[in-house]
Amino acid sequence: MQNNQANELMTYDKDTITMQTYTYERIRKAGSKDVINDVYVRNPKLPNLLWFVGKVARCTGIVTLQDAITKQWILIQEHAAQIRPLELGRDMTLLEVWCAPGDSEVEMEENKNPTFQFTKIERAFSNSGNVALVEIGFKPELVTSRGETFRVERTKEELNL
């Protein structure tokens, strides 16, 4: 079963989101802050805004952050488009994924601690095939009834672009 899971694509549907949220919680409970990262999405057409879209968890001894994001790229991209259709959905294929240390939303917003930096995750089309779905999880950001989501502002210089 694990080999079949390793080859599955992450689709944006209720079953996948439910399973990935459950797996995220399971990995987070078994691990520490080191197994999670906050996930942001940036539209190059709105270069100073990074939108918080959720959190990723991975079995750190087995799965790299790059592999976890690569395996979940479509899920993350689709979720970003759903929660911010005007800012992110129109340019979904251009979206960039950036990560920050886990549970660092406040620090990232305040931008006062130089040890908390964003890391751009390049889209890769390989190396995630060996990642089983039980080794990674994604907890999507929920949108308020007013359509508000968390975002941070950074200049291109602050992002090292």
Side-chain angles (χ1 to χ4, degrees):
M1 175 117 184
Q2 193 167 2
N3 286 341
N4 289 341
Q5 283 186 344
N7 293 324
E8 287 183 35
L9 294 174
M10 290 279 182
T11 57
Y12 190 75
D13 58 46
K14 183 180 177 184
D15 291 340
T16 302
I17 292 169
T18 300
M19 185 256 318
Q20 281 295 288
T21 301
Y22 170 78
T23 305
Y24 169 88
E25 295 294 347
R26 187 181 52 76
I27 294 170
R28 182 179 178 120
K29 186 176 181 181
S32 65
K33 260 189 167 179
D34 295 337
V35 303
I36 61 168
N37 287 88
D38 294 345
V39 181
Y40 294 78
V41 171
R42 176 179 173 265
N43 181 344
K45 292 182 179 179
L46 303 169
N48 294 341
L49 292 175
L50 291 106
W51 300 88
F52 178 71
V53 296
K55 295 174 180 282
V56 65
R58 67 198 182 287
C59 297
T60 55
I62 302 168
V63 181
T64 66
L65 177 59
Q66 174 72 50
D67 287 345
I69 296 296
T70 297
K71 183 74 170 190
Q72 299 176 90
W73 192 280
I74 293 171
L75 181 68
I76 293 167
Q77 190 179 47
E78 289 274 350
H79 182 65
Q82 291 294 319
I83 63 174
R84 299 305 313 173
L86 297 178
E87 298 88 350
L88 302 174
R90 293 179 179 172
D91 299 306
M92 193 168 69
T93 59
L94 303 176
L95 299 181
E96 302 169 351
V97 176
W98 294 72
C99 289
D103 298 332
S104 66
E105 295 96 321
V106 173
E107 290 85 354
M108 297 311 283
E109 181 181 32
E110 292 175 353
N111 199 19
K112 293 180 182 175
N113 188 339
T115 63
F116 289 157
Q117 297 291 319
F118 283 106
T119 301
K120 183 178 181 183
I121 307 297
E122 296 295 336
R123 183 157 191 189
F125 294 96
S126 62
N127 295 334
S128 69
N130 295 328
V131 176
L133 300 182
V134 297
E135 298 170 338
I136 55 174
F138 179 67
K139 183 176 182 181
E141 170 73 344
L142 301 177
V143 180
T144 68
S145 61
R146 296 180 181 173
E148 296 173 8
T149 56
F150 179 73
R151 65 185 181 276
V152 296
E153 291 188 43
R154 293 290 189 280
T155 64
K156 287 184 177 183
E157 293 76 24
E158 290 173 312
L159 293 173
N160 295 318
L161 293 176

